[in-house]
């Protein structure tokens, strides 16, 4: 189950999906509504409940905040994987974390009012067309970044202003990937989040969209989480809150951006399809 994030859709996971399915894993990619942390998390939690069997749940960018809430209280979720993702603690929001760890995203968005058919209104955030390549996808060809700009899905400001009420990474083992060249989420934020969650953390030379630019690295990290979860060999100590805890070995993902936009999440079923290799 793969969940995209702000400014994106499920196709951002295409390369990762291909690699996971080639290893025999069942993968799903439901849409992330991008309307607010509370409603988005409730929706993804309902999708998770429709799945039978253990799950590895991975989130990219804003999707990290969504999975941290959606996984709470669901015993089927065995591992959390954060790809350049937001990992708020209770009482934190994407915006509050972005204020502590500023990034180029803060000046890379446009605000556009919206109104629904029932008269409810709000504000959507879009990436500025001329900022997508430099801030969001610098490690992709400019032509590919332009396609992301044209097809982007906006996120409501409530996705980043609503504060987390729970933090599933405190009790569920986590893996995190830090992109050293991430301009959307400050890499220092990604490291801080991963350390306090005691995530297995790996750093790579990548911009924010590592799942598109480096699908092998992202898929490998998810496979590590899946393997550890399947054997029950990796049950971490409780994560620390507030100050950063000691970093645990191996590799993981982390991060969301300054103003806290963007993202994605992914849930991979730990059961494999019959007839596929298991190495």
């Amino acid at each position: 189950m793969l969940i995209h994030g702000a400014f994106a859709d499920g196709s951002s996971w295409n390369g990762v999906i291909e690699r996971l399915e080639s290893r025999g894993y069942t993968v799903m990619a439901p849409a992330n509504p991008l309307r607010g942390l509370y409603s988005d998390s409730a929706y993804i939690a309902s999708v998770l409940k429709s799945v039978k069997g253990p799950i590895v749940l991975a989130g990219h960018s804003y999707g990290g905040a969504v999975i941290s809430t959606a996984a709470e209280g669901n015993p089927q979720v065995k591992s959390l994987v954060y790809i350049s993702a937001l990992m708020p603690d209770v009482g934190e929001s994407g915006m509050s974390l972005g204020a502590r760890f500023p990034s180029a995203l803060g000046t890379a968005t446009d605000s556009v009012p919206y109104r629904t058919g029932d008269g409810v209104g709000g504000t959507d955030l879009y990436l500025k067309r001329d900022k997508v390549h430099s801030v969001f996808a610098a490690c992709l060809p400019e032509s590919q970044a332009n396609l992301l700009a044209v097809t982007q899905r906006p996120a409501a400001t409530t996705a980043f202003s609503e504060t987390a009420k729970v933090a599933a990474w405190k009790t569920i083992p986590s893996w995190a990937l830090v992109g050293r060249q991430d301009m959307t989420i400050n890499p220092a934020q990604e490291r801080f989040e991963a350390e306090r969650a005691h995530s297995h953390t790996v750093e790579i030379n990548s911009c924010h969209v590592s799942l598109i630019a480096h699908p092998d690295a992202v898929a490998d990290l998810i496979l590590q989480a899946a393997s550890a979860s399947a054997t029950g060999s990796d049950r971490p100590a409780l994560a620390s809150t507030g100050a950063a805890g000691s970093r645990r070995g191996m590799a993981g993902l982390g991060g969301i951006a300054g103003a806290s936009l963007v993202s994605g999440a992914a849930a991979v079923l730990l059961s494999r399809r019959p007839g596929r290799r298991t190495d």
Side-chain angles (χ1 to χ4, degrees), residues 19 21-25 272-279:
R19 286 157 177 78
E21 290 193 333
S22 73
R23 295 297 297 270
Y25 286 92
R272 295 183 174 182
R273 294 191 296 274
R276 305 300 292 272
R277 69 179 187 174
T278 58
D279 60 324

Side-chain angles (χ1 to χ4, degrees), residues 11 66 78 88 149 163 169 248 259:
S11 65
V66 173
K78 305 302 181 181
T163 59
W169 47 261
R248 303 179 65 222

